[in-house]
Amino acid sequence: MPNGSAVDRVDALTAAARPGLVDTHCHIDVSEFAADYGQVLQRARAAGVNRFVVPGVDRGGWPRLLALCRKEAGCHPALGLHPLYLPLHRPAHLEELGKMAARPEVVAIGEVGLDFWDNPEALVRQRQEALFEQQVRIAKGLGLPLLLHARKAHDQVQAIVRRLHFPYGGIVHAFSGSRQQALIWLELGFLIGIGGTITYGRANRVRALAAELPLPGLVLETDAPDIPPAAHRQERNSPEYLPEIVHCLAQLRSDSPDRIAVETTRNAVRLLNRRVPGLAH
Ligand SMILES: [Zn+2]
């Protein structure tokens, strides 16, 4: 379809007429969506979600991720080497990260961090820490924020961010730490990613934090295809369910879904628009 066609203009007008949600963590590039990601994104846009941050997890996946983001409106790539895929990463991938993440469309370094959930042995911890530290240095060199994955490792991730005086902030994705750790993240200039976990009644701590943390410190995410909201448990998670997280967050905070939508979008845009003029308010 040629540029500037009627359909394009209608889409642009519709997007401008409402705030539009940002799914700040959405693995739409993975095999679970290979058959229908175009339709999934279309349904998400129809539901009011029009921007998607797509984080990379290993070098092998970056080209497909970048190609998808070039093709699909509103998809913004982040590149990174995920701690859980440690055996796939090579020193050369860090060098390539520095080069590929310098492209103007890349909005963040991620998904990066530490995962000590399974109590990995000391050598694995050290290798995760070295990998993370090098990626924080790359992000600092490029002036990009970080998309962080931290499980049972918030103190260690915070220590590295502090020691390197990392100034560009980022998003702590699928936050599962303590209140104290959340407050330190906010102090360090990071935002807390709120996703499907808050829709589960038993997730007391995360729900309490989502209710009480200051709204300027929160952004929304689905982590699709993982962590489906309670109404879709056992299903593949999808960015089209993001409005359900807005409604749940509004209920927990006794606030209006509209205000939650506008403010969290503003927070995400403020963080990510340093490198993407198209993301300006
Ligand atoms: Zn992820």
Side-chain angles (χ1 to χ4, degrees):
M1 197 170 287
N3 273 344
S5 71
V7 172
D8 285 346
R9 281 197 300 276
V10 170
D11 280 349
L13 282 174
T14 317
R18 54 178 186 227
L21 299 170
V22 185
D23 187 346
T24 63
H25 200 107
C26 171
H27 295 282
I28 195 73
D29 62 313
V30 300
S31 58
E32 284 90 333
F33 291 111
D36 64 345
Y37 66 85
Q39 290 152 287
V40 171
L41 289 169
Q42 210 39 51
R43 289 199 299 270
R45 291 182 194 110
V49 188
N50 53 22
R51 284 172 282 198
F52 313 85
V53 179
V54 189
V57 298
D58 74 313
R59 169 65 184 88
W62 297 344
R64 187 176 54 186
L65 187 161
L66 289 167
L68 184 151
C69 290
R70 271 195 296 274
K71 186 174 147 206
E72 287 290 342
C75 288
H76 301 283
L79 299 182
L81 302 169
H82 192 294
L84 285 180
Y85 297 93
L86 200 59
L88 296 179
H89 307 325
R90 301 285 175 272
H93 298 170
L94 285 165
E95 225 169 283
E96 290 177 276
L97 179 63
K99 288 189 190 126
M100 291 174 80
R103 297 169 183 221
E105 72 266 31
V106 175
V107 295
I109 294 294
E111 162 173 13
V112 299
L114 303 175
D115 193 313
F116 294 166
W117 183 262
D118 275 335
N119 268 318
E121 53 186 271
L123 185 64
V124 171
R125 286 176 188 241
Q126 283 162 20
R127 289 181 59 205
Q128 283 194 20
E129 283 171 350
L131 178 75
F132 175 56
E133 177 168 337
Q134 283 164 303
Q135 293 185 95
V136 176
R137 289 183 192 280
I138 289 169
K140 194 175 174 184
L142 293 171
L144 287 172
L146 295 165
L147 304 180
L148 293 178
H149 172 106
R151 284 207 304 175
K152 299 251 173 191
H154 282 280
D155 294 344
Q156 293 88 337
V157 175
Q158 286 174 345
I160 291 172
V161 166
R162 265 190 213 280
R163 179 158 51 78
L164 298 182
H165 301 287
F166 183 74
Y168 299 110
I171 296 169
V172 190
H173 138 72
F175 181 78
S176 58
S178 68
R179 184 172 181 277
Q180 177 66 13
Q181 286 163 334
L183 295 176
I184 293 173
W185 278 125
L186 295 180
E187 259 175 49
L188 289 170
F190 283 74
L191 305 174
I192 304 293
I194 301 291
T197 307
I198 64 163
T199 61
Y200 291 85
R202 59 182 146 77
N204 293 320
R205 187 164 76 176
V206 171
R207 281 162 69 92
L209 280 174
E212 102 181 56
L213 290 175
L215 196 50
L218 306 184
V219 288
L220 307 173
E221 63 169 62
T222 59
D223 199 24
D226 302 320
I227 322 185
H232 304 277
R233 70 187 81 199
Q234 316 294 358
E235 279 178 47
R236 175 184 73 172
N237 194 11
S238 164
E240 69 203 278
Y241 303 149
L242 197 65
E244 298 177 25
I245 295 163
V246 173
H247 281 92
C248 181
L249 187 56
Q251 254 173 7
L252 290 173
R253 299 180 69 91
S254 306
D255 203 336
S256 79
D258 275 356
R259 200 172 91 90
I260 299 283
V262 169
E263 296 294 320
T264 54
T265 292
R266 183 176 297 154
N267 300 340
V269 168
R270 194 185 298 129
L271 179 80
L272 298 165
N273 77 354
R274 293 191 180 101
R275 292 281 303 268
V276 181
L279 273 181
H281 300 255

